[in-house]
Amino acid sequence: MSKRDDDRNAVVQDTAEPLGQIRDSHATPGGSIISAVLDIQRHAITRNNWIKSLECVYLTNDRDSEPTGKRRRLDGGESVASCTPGLLRRTYLDPVSDPERGRDYVAVSYTWGISEEEEEQESCQSLGGFYIESRKTGEHAQPSRIRDVVWERALHYAAHVKCDTIWIDQECVDQENPKEKETAIQNMHLVYSLSRKPVALLTHVIQTTDELDLIASLLLEDVQEEKESAALDILDEITSDRWWQRAWTFQEDYKAATRMTLLIPHTSNLEHRKQTTRNFLGRPLLGTLPGEICIKSTEFRRHATQFCLRYKEKWPEMAATCNRILATAGKYNVLLQDDHLSSTYSSISRSMTPTVLADLGRRGILAESDRLAIAANCCSYTTRLDTTALNKCGGSLSLSILALCLLNGEIMENDPRPRRGTLADSIFTYLAKQFLRSFRPPIDEGLTFIKSCRFVDPVLTLSGTQTRGHLWRLGKLIRPLKRNKFSTVPPLEALATDLQYRRYGKSYADLAMNLLGWIRESSDASRAGKHQQHSGRKLFAHTRPWGWREWMTDEVETALVEGKPLRLASLVKSERREEYEPYSAIFVGEDADDWGDDEHNDGYAPPTYVFTSVRPVKDPTRLSDIPKHVSLEVDIEWPGNDEPPKDGEHPVRAKEGYEVDLPKLYIKRWLNGLCFSGPQNTQKPVLFPWPADLLATNSGK
């Protein structure tokens, strides 16, 4: 998919420039980064699902309608159109309402332009071998605008996986209809995320037995030490393929996820060796499609990432080559681990959004404004920016990216101590520094969990992000009692009993009853056959499809078993914030020493606060909409507090004209917890002030 910006009216590519310089160029005199972002906010739009009727094509079987009626037979009994013209007819699928049949299509990912290797082969440049049915009744079929080699490889693969229907952008989106093309651009990710058989056509040709064997060794994690340098070279060559360098193909690969298959062509003399190369289970390692190496993209990227991380640790002088491969084909759930060199699973505490945006920014594209649509698609953003309007006003790409993140509730550090990103940073560097880095995913799929850690229905104002949720005051600190190793009572049930019967000093009956009620609800769902396993972690039944409370239950139970401290918490009601409500939540410390320095002899620690907000998917019919959840330990500046800040308090104060009647929250860290707010306690508005640098104004000259 591609479209050009008018050179006279286009989004400005400024992602390499410092934010301070961008502010001076785009903000009004005396304005700030935030004032410029609020101006961009005027162009926010909501995405609609375009994919309800998906236009695809198939190679006709009606020989009388084919221009020549000729086909050529391939090894293995498959057939595709020969170099003489073949006719492709149009058909329509409904992947939303009819997922069984509507998603059975091959979504082709390829580059429109010819690669350097293809330029040397005349056969790769030919057109006219395939005709495409006209959209207008009565008009003759026209030669396809897609090169013959692309059609032949795509049809070859489709026949191999026994799928007749193909989606390919140049012919399945009306390139002469600007409105349809713009809508398709905003929803292109759905085509690849819903396809059962997405395929990528790489063009780097594997020519030698050594190259083939190195690829096999990488996938088997069995590269001999003397061949490691050669393995790095082959990875560098493959990831230098034009397909890895384009922004649109980045999106297609990212959204197709585990289903994307890479096709890497090889010379015919390697066919037998490829076919006989097996994995540890005796199955074909490189596929059985004649002329092509078939590898799942996720597997290729995982093995490439692990190899390059180890290699640059061993040979630091090769870091530049390794980093180039990692920036091109890195596997995020390996690359973003807190200890990615660990031989066991390592936790992930940071969002992949800054990395996704930076990787996208490095890739080539014809229209800079298209990066905004691709970024929104990859990050599952429901709020978009009208790129046509931004092009007309020549908006900043950097500020538009920042606006896109904030409009969709991404969480950035706003505690002025310590200072993180500055106006001397480019947008990608700033986001990498400023995004929250203390997430604690309670599930193995850490990046999936963190992707949903976003503010609910954020509203951008001059003073900060306004959102809604519950405020909790942390109170009683409890350290789990030693359990009888022969006890059959589940940890959470034992805790509820201990809380009710004064094992922790007082009777906390309200919280105990909430816990017991939740246990009964979970048990009823389990008996109804809804008990589930999630990534090897034993959870309570998922009475909600997204499992937030079940995940938090698992966190509390794990803390009880591992001896982590817990804090009981009560709701803070804004109209009576000095009053203490009964405890109705439990929050989990990071380790056994958490809150230890603040603990008093009576088991209490100085009060601190937590903000939580949870929202399931709003509308299941809106594909790619995700649940949202927030659980942050915060410092609070209450409205009406005009006293000068004391030692340890935040010096930030609202300026004239800013919202001053909402609690201002400053993030300390992510804090998991199991909460029972009750339907009678509605979520209240709060404000997360901006990082100070974003409010710094220009000289006004």
Side-chain angles (χ1 to χ4, degrees):
M1 177 59 61
S2 175
K3 68 186 183 71
R4 293 181 181 274
D5 291 330
D6 189 319
D7 291 338
R8 295 164 297 176
N9 297 297
V11 165
V12 178
Q13 167 53 274
D14 53 11
T15 55
E17 298 176 10
L19 286 173
Q21 181 177 323
I22 295 170
R23 176 203 59 190
D24 295 343
S25 299
H26 291 272
T28 57
S32 64
I33 292 287
I34 289 303
S35 64
V37 165
L38 294 180
D39 187 55
I40 292 171
Q41 185 181 208
R42 297 181 297 111
H43 305 302
I45 57 176
T46 301
R47 182 190 68 221
N48 294 314
N49 289 335
W50 153 81
I51 200 173
K52 292 178 181 177
S53 180
L54 184 66
E55 181 179 301
C56 297
V57 297
Y58 65 94
L59 190 65
T60 183
N61 289 321
D62 181 1
R63 291 180 177 273
D64 292 335
S65 65
E66 290 186 24
T68 65
K70 296 180 181 179
R71 298 169 67 82
R72 62 182 173 88
R73 185 68 52 181
L74 296 169
D75 295 339
E78 297 155 352
S79 63
V80 296
S82 68
C83 295
T84 52
L87 179 64
L88 293 151
R89 291 195 180 278
R90 301 185 188 277
T91 187
Y92 296 87
L93 301 178
D94 185 354
V96 178
S97 302
D98 186 12
E100 182 62 31
R101 291 176 296 179
R103 300 181 185 183
D104 192 25
Y105 60 92
V106 173
V108 183
S109 176
Y110 70 108
T111 58
W112 288 22
I114 298 174
S115 68
E116 291 183 6
E117 290 193 71
E118 289 178 316
E119 287 178 353
E120 300 173 2
Q121 305 174 50
E122 187 175 340
S123 61
C124 292
Q125 304 177 41
S126 62
L127 293 164
F130 295 86
Y131 277 63
I132 190 83
E133 181 182 25
S134 174
R135 291 185 177 87
K136 297 179 180 179
T137 304
E139 289 193 359
H140 294 297
Q142 297 294 320
S144 172
R145 68 189 79 194
I146 297 172
R147 289 175 291 127
D148 295 344
V149 67
V150 174
W151 276 122
E152 290 177 357
R153 293 181 71 191
L155 289 165
H156 193 185
Y157 178 76
H160 181 70
V161 297
K162 298 179 173 55
C163 181
D164 296 331
T165 312
I166 290 177
W167 186 94
I168 192 164
D169 55 2
Q170 276 185 283
E171 295 295 0
C172 296
V173 174
D174 188 350
Q175 302 295 320
E176 309 304 321
N177 185 331
K179 184 177 180 180
E180 178 182 335
K181 193 162 73 167
E182 176 64 25
T183 304
I185 284 170
Q186 295 289 347
N187 292 273
M188 192 55 53
H189 60 301
L190 297 175
V191 175
Y192 292 88
S193 64
L194 296 180
S195 169
R196 289 200 185 95
K197 293 158 183 156
V199 65
L201 309 182
L202 278 64
T203 58
H204 176 77
V205 180
I206 303 302
Q207 301 183 15
T208 70
T209 301
D210 287 344
E211 291 177 329
L212 189 78
D213 290 346
L214 283 170
I215 294 172
S217 297
L218 284 163
L219 297 177
L220 294 171
E221 298 184 9
D222 188 30
V223 180
Q224 297 174 9
E225 186 173 1
E226 64 271 17
K227 294 185 177 180
E228 287 179 347
S229 177
L232 185 70
D233 289 342
I234 192 64
L235 282 177
D236 195 25
E237 291 173 7
I238 292 174
T239 55
S240 296
D241 191 294
R242 181 180 169 85
W243 183 85
W244 296 99
Q245 312 303 320
R246 307 300 296 171
W248 283 108
T249 49
F250 171 85
Q251 172 190 233
E252 292 154 10
D253 185 33
Y254 182 87
K255 296 305 297 186
T258 57
R259 293 181 299 279
M260 177 64 83
T261 297
L262 305 179
L263 297 191
I264 304 174
H266 64 77
T267 53
S268 58
N269 62 302
L270 301 178
E271 189 63 46
H272 176 72
R273 193 170 188 86
K274 180 198 71 177
Q275 296 278 358
T276 55
T277 301
R278 304 281 164 161
N279 63 18
F280 297 120
L281 298 176
R283 296 170 183 166
L285 180 66
L286 304 175
T288 59
L289 178 62
E292 308 275 10
I293 294 172
C294 301
I295 309 173
K296 287 294 182 182
S297 175
T298 51
E299 285 300 296
F300 177 82
R301 289 186 287 109
R302 179 172 67 86
H303 289 294
T305 301
Q306 291 171 338
F307 177 83
C308 287
L309 289 174
R310 290 193 298 266
Y311 194 88
K312 74 172 182 175
E313 185 77 9
K314 187 176 179 180
W315 302 103
E317 64 273 19
M318 297 303 297
T321 301
C322 292
N323 289 337
R324 183 168 61 247
I325 296 169
L326 292 171
T328 302
K331 189 76 169 68
Y332 294 144
N333 60 5
V334 177
L335 203 55
L336 297 178
Q337 287 182 15
D338 295 335
D339 181 8
H340 52 240
L341 294 176
S342 172
S343 58
T344 59
Y345 175 79
S346 176
S347 61
I348 296 174
S349 59
R350 50 186 167 145
S351 169
M352 62 181 163
T353 298
T355 307
V356 169
L357 295 175
D359 285 350
L360 176 59
R362 279 188 283 266
R363 284 161 167 78
I365 200 167
L366 290 178
E368 290 298 331
S369 59
D370 284 355
R371 294 189 196 276
L372 298 172
I374 296 174
N377 291 342
C378 290
C379 298
S380 299
Y381 289 161
T382 53
T383 299
R384 307 301 185 94
L385 292 173
D386 184 341
T387 54
T388 301
L390 287 173
N391 281 329
K392 287 181 180 178
C393 66
S396 159
L397 180 60
S398 292
L399 297 182
S400 297
I401 290 172
L402 178 60
L404 197 61
C405 292
L406 298 174
L407 285 166
N408 286 278
E410 296 282 14
I411 303 174
M412 293 201 297
E413 302 273 12
N414 68 342
D415 187 329
R417 309 174 311 252
R419 191 180 182 193
R420 294 176 176 82
T422 72
L423 297 186
D425 296 323
S426 69
I427 182 61
F428 299 133
T429 302
Y430 182 84
L431 294 177
K433 291 179 179 180
Q434 204 69 36
F435 262 54
L436 187 67
R437 299 172 69 92
S438 62
F439 294 106
R440 289 168 54 199
I443 58 174
D444 291 342
E445 289 83 353
L447 291 178
T448 301
F449 176 86
I450 294 172
K451 192 172 186 177
S452 287
C453 296
R454 297 174 183 171
F455 292 130
V456 174
D457 298 329
V459 177
L460 308 188
T461 72
L462 278 172
S463 50
T465 297
Q466 182 177 316
T467 184
R468 302 179 71 87
H470 292 108
L471 280 173
W472 304 86
R473 181 187 287 111
L474 299 186
K476 174 74 174 179
L477 171 63
I478 65 175
R479 299 194 180 277
L481 299 171
K482 189 174 182 180
R483 287 172 48 83
N484 185 333
K485 63 181 180 180
F486 300 109
S487 174
T488 59
V489 179
L492 196 66
E493 186 175 343
L495 175 64
T497 303
D498 292 340
L499 291 171
Q500 187 170 11
Y501 292 102
R502 301 176 180 272
R503 295 290 302 279
Y504 290 103
K506 294 181 180 180
S507 176
Y508 304 106
D510 293 80
L511 179 55
M513 294 307 294
N514 277 321
L515 290 173
L516 292 171
W518 169 239
I519 291 169
R520 283 194 297 272
E521 180 184 338
S522 301
S523 298
D524 290 343
S526 179
R527 284 193 295 271
K530 298 180 181 178
H531 191 75
Q532 298 182 9
Q533 295 281 339
H534 191 91
S535 302
R537 292 174 177 258
K538 188 175 181 181
L539 303 178
F540 279 85
H542 285 226
T543 54
R544 294 184 177 95
W546 40 279
W548 169 259
R549 186 174 285 180
E550 294 78 14
W551 295 336
M552 295 300 104
T553 299
D554 193 58
E555 279 291 279
V556 173
E557 288 203 311
T558 301
L560 290 168
V561 172
E562 296 179 353
K564 293 180 180 179
L566 303 172
R567 291 287 293 270
L568 308 187
S570 57
L571 268 173
V572 178
K573 296 187 177 180
S574 56
E575 64 276 12
R576 302 193 309 274
R577 68 173 184 264
E578 299 302 325
E579 298 181 14
Y580 282 70
E581 297 291 319
Y583 289 134
S584 55
I586 308 173
F587 290 91
V588 181
E590 292 186 31
D591 53 49
D593 298 325
D594 211 344
W595 298 302
D597 294 340
D598 299 327
E599 185 176 2
H600 298 167
N601 292 333
D602 58 0
Y604 285 85
T608 184
Y609 298 90
V610 175
F611 171 80
T612 65
S613 183
V614 180
R615 191 203 70 188
V617 172
K618 262 187 174 181
D619 181 1
T621 64
R622 289 179 64 181
L623 300 174
S624 296
D625 196 7
I626 59 175
K628 292 186 177 181
H629 40 247
V630 178
S631 190
L632 298 167
E633 186 175 5
V634 296
D635 284 329
I636 301 181
E637 182 183 326
W638 296 104
N641 181 7
D642 296 325
E643 299 178 2
K646 300 176 183 178
D647 289 343
E649 289 186 344
H650 290 276
V652 178
R653 287 289 181 268
K655 297 182 179 180
E656 184 177 356
Y658 283 36
E659 296 75 5
V660 296
D661 56 350
L662 295 178
K664 296 182 176 65
L665 310 187
Y666 296 89
I667 299 169
K668 295 173 69 176
R669 60 173 174 170
W670 185 271
L671 195 66
N672 288 326
L674 178 59
C675 307
F676 303 95
S677 56
Q680 72 279 11
N681 295 306
T682 57
Q683 296 185 337
K684 303 295 184 182
V686 299
L687 188 77
F688 284 84
W690 300 118
D693 282 79
L694 298 186
L695 293 174
T697 58
N698 60 30
S699 61
K701 296 180 180 179

